[in-house]
Amino acid sequence: MKITYKNIQLVAVRGDIGNQPDVDAVVNAANAELKIGGGVAAAIHRTAGPELYEASKHLAPLSPGQAVITGAFNLPNDHVIHCRGPVYGKDKPEEKFLANCYKNALKLAEENQISSIAFPAISTGAFNYPFEEATKIAFQTITAEVENLKYVEKIKFVLNGEDDLKLYTEYLQELSSSH
Ligand code: AR6
């Protein structure tokens, strides 16, 4: 599913965030220590190679909502933006921290003149954020930020499951018809 919203291309696909050659930057769903972990982080580190951890570990610890940027090494991208999402039920207020992840990632993208970026559904795996609530926050935040983007032209959402893609597709359809 692909739409154009206020001159920004918004795309949702089902796939692996570690294999998105059509974007300049991929977002890592990181933990505080920027350790390799599971899920998104494991997929990104697996393809990027050990240099990614070497390049990022000195940037830890990250607070909830914080984002940092590194190179992408063997990934087919130029940059990795590492965001620490909130652990649901623990890092409060979780809505604000999750929104900050998307805001801070886009801010770093702008500062680095990045034109295309892929996001996973931050915090919805090991960090237990309910998928529907997290999706609402992702869309609220991104649609509010779109006005401020000068360099970013394309935002891609890379989802793991069929139902996840279905929900993102519904949000994109709604945005496209409201616009
Ligand atoms: N590509 C796209 N999405 C994926 C992939 C993939 N390869 N693998 C999983 N997902 P998670 P979090 C989905 O756990 O909740 C890690 O261990 C997954 O289904 O990666 O922010 C880190 O090291 C879910 O919807 O991130 C941290 O310790 C979403 O991506 C911690 O987990 C996020 O799942 C971060 O937890």
Side-chain angles (χ1 to χ4, degrees), residues 15-18 29-31 35-41 43 120-128 131 158-160 164:
D16 176 10
I17 193 84
N31 52 38
K35 293 228 171 92
I36 295 172
V40 164
I122 299 169
S123 282
T124 65
F127 284 178
N128 272 328
F131 198 87
V158 181
L159 291 324
N160 200 22
D164 303 347

Side-chain angles (χ1 to χ4, degrees), residues 39-99:
V40 164
I44 284 180
H45 280 276
R46 194 182 310 121
T47 308
E51 290 154 296
L52 181 61
Y53 180 62
E54 289 306 314
S56 51
K57 65 182 182 189
H58 73 282
L59 302 168
L62 300 189
S63 53
Q66 193 182 348
V68 293
I69 188 165
T70 64
F73 303 97
N74 293 329
L75 284 162
N77 317 100
D78 295 330
H79 310 273
V80 178
I81 296 177
H82 308 258
C83 289
R84 179 188 167 189
V87 177
Y88 193 77
K90 180 165 173 264
D91 296 322
K92 292 180 191 254
E94 47 233 343
E95 298 88 348
K96 183 172 164 234
F97 288 141
L98 187 60

